[in-house]
Amino acid sequence: MLTNDLITERLILKSTKEEHAPLCLDMWLDDEIGKYLGDPPRDKADEKYMNFAKGIEEDETWYPFVAFLKDTNEFVGTGSIVPMEDKMHWDLGYCIHKQYWRQGYGTELIQALIDFGYAKGGRKFTADIAQENIASNAVIKKLGFTIEKEGSFNKQGTNITYDNYTYKLDLE
């Protein structure tokens, strides 16, 4: 679903368009960057996965974004936020390119997603993160999220299972 750009101190988050697919896929399918994502490894990505962006601009079920540095327009990562049925609960996900790890961009991107969802009526935000992903767990906790429950997920196309935390943030 197309929306206006989200602007932060250092980032511009643009609605994902079909033309952004190569940037997204290159990052998500990278062995190091995509390690803790549910996405498949590159050699297991099927045609449907590789064509995830077909029709993305007309999809009204979620808000996917690509993040770029304001100053240089370099690609930093992706983020998405999905309203649940009640429109009060929104689930988010994100991925930062490894050249931008540990520089605060994840925090900035997630805060922009929360602000966006809040402006649209969201009051509860959740995110699923692999327990082994120490950095991502730290980022989400820094933003005030707490663990709601534990579970697990399978990495698509593999027999890899990760234990995960579902984090929540309740806002009034």
Side-chain angles (χ1 to χ4, degrees):
M1 176 184 304
L2 291 177
T3 188
N4 293 333
D5 293 348
L6 307 181
I7 311 290
T8 70
E9 182 182 337
R10 301 177 294 167
L11 300 173
I12 297 175
L13 280 68
K14 300 178 180 188
S15 287
T16 303
K17 296 181 180 176
E18 192 170 336
E19 68 199 47
H20 297 129
L23 289 172
C24 299
L25 291 167
D26 189 52
M27 183 177 65
W28 298 336
L29 297 174
D30 179 272
D31 288 341
E32 186 178 6
I33 300 170
K35 178 176 181 177
Y36 297 117
L37 299 178
D39 301 69
R42 190 174 304 276
D43 64 343
K44 302 288 185 188
D46 62 15
E47 186 176 343
K48 180 180 178 193
Y49 180 85
M50 295 302 287
N51 290 310
F52 85 95
K54 295 260 190 251
I56 199 166
E57 295 158 51
E58 289 81 41
D59 189 338
E60 297 190 4
T61 61
W62 66 317
Y63 297 90
F65 292 96
V66 285
F68 298 91
L69 291 179
K70 250 196 227 182
D71 296 342
T72 63
N73 204 37
E74 291 174 75
F75 175 65
V76 173
T78 60
S80 66
I81 190 160
V82 181
M84 300 295 116
E85 265 186 53
D86 67 1
K87 305 292 188 225
M88 298 281 291
H89 173 196
W90 291 59
D91 191 59
L92 59 89
Y94 64 96
C95 184
I96 302 296
H97 197 285
K98 64 184 167 191
Q99 75 184 73
Y100 297 104
W101 287 353
R102 292 174 173 61
Q103 297 174 50
Y105 293 112
T107 304
E108 205 168 315
L109 187 150
I110 296 163
Q111 187 62 59
L113 294 176
I114 293 167
D115 294 346
F116 174 80
Y118 189 86
K120 294 199 166 290
R123 295 300 179 263
K124 176 184 178 181
F125 299 88
T126 56
D128 291 321
I129 299 175
Q131 291 180 18
E132 291 179 41
N133 190 340
I134 305 299
S136 197
N137 280 279
V139 167
I140 210 82
K141 287 177 183 175
K142 178 180 176 182
L143 287 163
F145 283 75
T146 57
I147 296 170
E148 181 176 49
K149 65 183 178 180
E150 294 185 35
S152 64
F153 68 91
N154 293 320
K155 187 163 187 65
Q156 291 178 38
T158 74
N159 60 0
I160 299 169
T161 299
Y162 287 110
D163 291 331
N164 75 294
Y165 295 121
T166 297
Y167 285 93
K168 71 171 179 157
L169 177 67
D170 288 311
L171 301 175
E172 290 303 315

